[in-house]
Each structure stands twice: as structure tokens, then as C-alpha cells.
Amino acid sequence: MKLRKKCKLLCMASVLIFLLGVVRGIGGVIELINNTDILVGINFSSITLVLLTITLIFLSAATIITAVGVYEHNEKFIFMGIALSALFLVYSIIKGYIFFGSALSNTAIINIIAAVAVISLLVFGKRTMDKTQRRI
């Protein structure tokens, strides 16, 4: 119990990872499906849209699971949170480049800011957790 009280950075990172998964993931699926400008702008087959949607659903599920693991202070999930944040960045840059012609769209910039915040909280939270475990 003492460990959880002292490591609030990981709890904040867990909330941000959860929000990243829900808001950016599921919101991205809704945006892809409901936005007619995107659907008109896509000159690709529907397979590309289906693959992007499936990718977003899997990323969302993985981030929700990772958020629970980070909240439980599991070290494996801390590294998974860093990897998933980077994966969301890569996904948004690729999506912006393929569909809109520029890698840095508004959503990519938001993902960059969110990923930097999550990764920094995870790194500092891990350091705090390691220091706390050494004292115990």
C-alpha cells in the first residue's frame, strides 16, 4: 500500500494511457467511419479503411489493458506503455501521410504531445517506484 501512495506519477500515466486509448483510438475509428471528407479523400480500396479501423481497435484495447497494468505498478506494463505511446505516434504519422499528404496533421501533433507526456510520466514514475522499493 505504501508503494501506491508514493507513486502517483504512474497513476497519472495510467489515466493518460487510458484516455489515449479511448479518445484517440475509438475517436479515430468514429472519425474514419463518419467523416465524409475523409471517405471522399480516400482514393484507396476499402481494405485500407478496414485495416486502419482494426488497427485502431487493437491499439485501443492494448492501451486499456496497459493502463490497468501501469496502475497496478507492473514493470512489464510500464515498458508496454512506452511502446504503445510510440506506436500511436507512428500510426498517426503514417495515417496523415497516406491520407492527407502531410505527416504532421493536427491529430499527429496532439498524439506527439500526449505521447511525450505519457512517456515522461512513465519514466519518472518508474524512477520513483525504484527509489521507493529500495527504501522499503
Side-chain angles (χ1 to χ4, degrees), residues 4-20:
R4 287 196 181 156
K5 289 181 182 177
K6 293 184 178 181
C7 195
K8 296 182 192 235
L9 294 174
L10 288 178
C11 292
M12 288 190 302
S14 174
V15 169
L16 286 178
I17 290 171
F18 180 79
L19 289 176
L20 181 70

Side-chain angles (χ1 to χ4, degrees), residues 66-134:
T66 302
V68 172
V70 168
Y71 181 76
E72 293 292 324
H73 295 80
N74 190 336
E75 286 189 32
K76 295 176 187 176
F77 286 103
I78 293 172
F79 295 116
M80 183 65 99
I82 293 170
L84 282 174
S85 299
L87 199 60
F88 260 106
L89 281 177
V90 170
Y91 171 81
S92 65
I93 290 171
I94 289 173
K95 183 182 90 174
Y97 182 73
I98 289 174
F99 291 141
F100 304 116
S102 69
L104 288 178
S105 62
N106 291 337
T107 57
I109 292 170
I110 292 170
N111 282 346
I112 289 171
I113 293 169
V116 167
V118 167
I119 290 171
S120 62
L121 283 172
L122 287 172
V123 168
F124 291 132
K126 171 112 173 64
R127 287 183 185 171
T128 305
M129 187 175 72
D130 290 343
K131 288 179 184 177
T132 306
Q133 286 178 343
R134 281 187 226 140

Side-chain angles (χ1 to χ4, degrees), residues 20-106:
L20 181 70
V22 172
V23 174
R24 302 305 301 160
I26 296 173
V29 169
I30 293 170
E31 179 186 17
L32 281 175
I33 294 172
N34 288 334
N35 194 345
T36 56
D37 295 335
I38 291 176
L39 293 175
V40 169
I42 297 174
N43 292 327
F44 300 100
S45 66
S46 61
I47 293 174
T48 306
L49 182 64
V50 170
L51 287 176
L52 284 173
T53 305
I54 289 172
T55 303
L56 274 173
I57 291 170
F58 280 128
L59 282 174
S60 295
T63 55
I64 291 169
I65 293 168
T66 302
V68 172
V70 168
Y71 181 76
E72 293 292 324
H73 295 80
N74 190 336
E75 286 189 32
K76 295 176 187 176
F77 286 103
I78 293 172
F79 295 116
M80 183 65 99
I82 293 170
L84 282 174
S85 299
L87 199 60
F88 260 106
L89 281 177
V90 170
Y91 171 81
S92 65
I93 290 171
I94 289 173
K95 183 182 90 174
Y97 182 73
I98 289 174
F99 291 141
F100 304 116
S102 69
L104 288 178
S105 62
N106 291 337

